[in-house]
Amino acid sequence: MLKFISWNIDSINAALTSDSDRALLSRKVLDTIKTETPDVLAIQETKLSEAGPTEKHKEVLNSYFPGYKVEFVSSCPPAKKGYAGTMILYKESLSASVDAPKIGAPDTMDDEGRLLTIDFGNVYFVNVYTPNAGDGLKRLKDRQQWDICYADYLSKLDAKKPVIACGDFNVAHKEIDLANPSTNHMSPGFTDEEREGFTNLLSKGFVDTFRHTHGDVEKVYSWWAQRIKTSKINNTGWRIDYFLVSDRIKDCVKRSEMLDSGERQDHTPLVLEMDI
C-alpha cells in the first residue's frame, strides 16, 4: 500500500518562514500531513526562485519529513520570477527518476515550473499546477491549449505504464463540484471550455479517484476563496484539486479524500491510498 498526498501550499516561503497568522495555519496543515506519513507528497504553487528551496526551507521541510528526497521545478525566464512552481517529496527508500517536461504549452507556461514527473518503476507520478484562466478569462485560450497538451502528455505516459496524476487542476468539472454553479458559469475554473478540457482528459483513459470512490452525490470541496472571509465558514467552496489514475488501476484505489485544513482557507490537501 502506498499513500500519496497533494497540496497547493500557496508559497513555501510564506508557509515555512513567516510568523503571520496564515503561516501558523499553514504549519498546522503540515502537521496534519506529517501524521499521515505519506510515501509521496506533491506540492503546487511553491513560488520559489529558480534556484529552488533555500537551506532554511530544506531545514524546516526536513523537520517535518525526515528521510525524504526533494525534487522541484521553479519558474524561470522568460516566465515571471517566484511564480507557480511544483515540488515532490518522496521517501528515500523509493527508487525513482525525475523529469520536468516541456509539453509544447503556449506563452510562458512551459517555463513556469508547472509540471514535475517521477518514474517509480511500475508507475508514473505526475504533479501539476494547471494555469488559471485569469481575471476576465484573459488566459482562457492559452489555458485551453495547455489542457490539450497536458492530456496528450499523460496519454503518452499511459501508453508505457500506469499513471497517477495529481495537483491543482483549476477546474470544477461538474456542477456538484462547487457550491454555487449557477452564479459561476463564466468564472475562471468553471467555463464550458475548461470543463470540456477536463472531460477530454478523462476520456483518454483516466479516472477521477474521488468520484470513483464516493460517487456523484457527495458535495465536498478542496478550495475556498481567500478574498471572501466567510467562504469556508459557509462552505461555499470548489473542488478543483484531484487525484487521477489510469483506468486500468482504478480498482487499486483504497482511499481518496480531502484532509481537514482547519480554519485555513485556500486549498486543502488531498490523500490517495493505493494497493500498488
Side-chain angles (χ1 to χ4, degrees):
M1 188 80 71
L2 287 177
K3 182 184 291 186
F4 306 89
I5 289 179
S6 174
W7 184 36
N8 180 319
I9 198 170
D10 187 25
S11 176
I12 277 186
N13 186 61
L16 300 186
T17 66
S18 172
D19 291 322
S20 69
D21 290 343
R22 178 171 167 78
L24 296 178
L25 291 175
S26 295
R27 290 201 280 277
K28 285 184 178 180
V29 176
L30 285 170
D31 287 333
T32 298
I33 293 174
K34 179 180 178 179
T35 64
E36 290 280 341
T37 60
D39 296 284
V40 183
L41 169 59
I43 298 174
Q44 304 91 42
E45 204 170 359
T46 55
K47 294 184 178 179
L48 292 173
S49 72
E50 187 176 356
T54 64
E55 291 305 312
K56 177 62 176 177
H57 296 150
K58 292 176 183 177
E59 178 184 333
V60 178
L61 283 172
N62 187 63
S63 71
Y64 283 100
F65 307 106
Y68 286 71
K69 293 182 180 179
V70 179
E71 303 289 351
F72 70 91
V73 58
S74 299
S75 184
C76 60
K80 292 185 288 186
K81 295 180 180 180
Y83 179 63
T86 49
M87 176 181 287
I88 298 176
L89 289 76
Y90 62 95
K91 289 183 176 178
E92 292 177 346
S93 57
L94 296 173
S95 177
S97 59
V98 183
D99 186 25
K102 294 183 183 294
I103 57 175
D107 194 28
T108 60
M109 290 177 173
D110 266 340
D111 299 301
E112 292 168 5
R114 294 184 174 275
L115 198 54
L116 193 58
T117 299
I118 294 191
D119 182 351
F120 283 117
N122 62 337
V123 66
Y124 287 113
F125 181 82
V126 183
N127 181 19
V128 69
Y129 176 38
T130 302
N132 192 293
D135 293 337
L137 303 178
K138 61 186 177 183
R139 219 179 187 191
L140 179 58
K141 288 187 177 179
D142 286 345
R143 161 63 188 269
Q144 287 179 268
Q145 189 58 42
W146 167 279
D147 284 343
I148 292 170
C149 293
Y150 179 73
D152 288 344
Y153 171 70
L154 282 198
S155 183
K156 289 176 182 176
L157 292 183
D158 185 53
K160 300 175 185 176
K161 67 183 75 173
V163 174
I164 300 169
C166 71
D168 176 0
F169 284 77
N170 264 316
V171 61
H173 186 212
K174 300 179 180 180
E175 289 191 355
I176 193 175
D177 293 319
L178 70 166
N180 297 309
S182 61
T183 57
N184 281 292
H185 181 216
M186 292 306 295
S187 297
F190 197 60
T191 62
D192 293 341
E193 292 87 348
E194 291 163 297
R195 295 169 68 192
E196 288 169 5
F198 197 79
T199 297
N200 173 62
L201 170 58
L202 295 181
S203 74
K204 289 183 176 291
F206 298 97
V207 171
D208 172 355
T209 61
F210 182 83
R211 289 292 168 220
H212 175 66
T213 56
H214 296 269
D216 283 337
V217 294
E218 195 167 352
K219 297 193 76 169
V220 178
Y221 310 122
S222 68
W223 176 82
W224 299 264
Q226 293 184 69
R227 297 177 185 177
I228 304 171
K229 292 183 179 180
T230 59
S231 66
K232 195 159 192 184
I233 295 171
N234 295 332
N235 200 27
T236 50
W238 297 50
R239 192 172 73 95
I240 59 176
D241 303 85
Y242 299 82
F243 266 107
L244 310 181
V245 300
S246 297
D247 184 76
R248 62 187 181 278
I249 59 171
K250 65 183 179 183
D251 291 334
C252 297
V253 175
K254 303 304 177 186
R255 177 189 179 199
S256 179
E257 58 192 37
M258 290 30 155
L259 296 178
D260 185 4
S261 56
E263 298 176 21
R264 187 185 186 274
Q265 292 186 187
D266 205 41
H267 296 263
T268 201
L270 278 59
V271 59
L272 174 74
E273 290 186 33
M274 297 192 71
D275 187 6
I276 190 169

